[in-house]
Amino acid sequence: LFANTLKQLGIEVRFADPKDPENFRKLTDDKTRAYYAETLPNPKLKAFPIEEVASIGKEYNIPLVMDNTASPITCNPIKHGAAIVVHSLTKYIGGHGTSIGGVIIDSGLFDWTLDPKRQPLLNDPDPSYWGISFGKAVPEVLGVPIAYTVRARFVLLRDLGSAISPTNSFHFIQGLETLPLRYKVHQENTEKVANFLNTRSEITNVIYPGFHKNAEDISRTKKYLEKGNGPLVGFELKGGKEAGQQFIDNLK
């Protein structure tokens, strides 16, 4: 999506290494519209420095959008400064593989009118809605600056038609009711699997937030994954790529 599809639509995406949050500042210019990141990105599973990058964004009036799909219970990105949080509902929130969908959560804490040139779609008059400026009109009517999600609903949903079906919505609501219980067990099982993999001689490296050795990674894990190390684990086999392919082919 970022490397190819958006480029074809005329949108430039620059990739920053989050190991040093200042890399985001180095790649920022007058045309930068947003920072986007995953809380617990695959495959390295190193917690993203949310607060540090969000703080840089605030200096330039740039919102931080966090994909929190992998850590819906253990991390609250809005608490650490994220303006927008997105989830793939299909994963842990739905939990049963029955539906496809996503959700956008607006923190209501980002002022989209502070830099009209950086956020023109939310500040310029919208000809399809009688010339209103969403950035100004939404807070006046609703009392909170959630222009991002309101415009997504009124304009993009209307034009692109990406509406979730009632049946899928029902499935996700059902899944949400048991998310805390399921996610707790997911994390417990993942920790057991990680510890087991760590004893195997065929494995050269187990990738798991609880096993990070770098001081910065350990610190970020404790800070941002407050209620557990998450439900993801990876590992590397002796023999590299060929061993990995053989392992996958032998799965039943």
Side-chain angles (χ1 to χ4, degrees), residues 235-252:
F235 59 92
E236 298 173 359
L237 288 167
K238 288 182 179 178
K241 182 179 179 180
E242 292 183 359
Q245 290 176 331
Q246 183 178 3
F247 172 79
I248 292 173
D249 290 340
N250 288 334
L251 289 175
K252 297 181 180 179

Side-chain angles (χ1 to χ4, degrees), residues 18 24 37-41 46-50 53 64 66 220 224:
F24 283 78
E38 291 181 80
T39 305
L40 195 58
K46 295 182 178 182
F48 184 82
I50 303 172
V53 175
L64 172 61
M66 290 301 305
R220 289 175 183 171
Y224 296 115

Side-chain angles (χ1 to χ4, degrees), residues 144-160:
V144 286
I146 56 171
Y148 183 89
T149 46
V150 171
R151 188 181 186 279
R153 171 68 178 83
F154 279 33
V155 179
L156 296 180
L157 184 62
R158 176 199 66 193
D159 294 345
L160 303 181

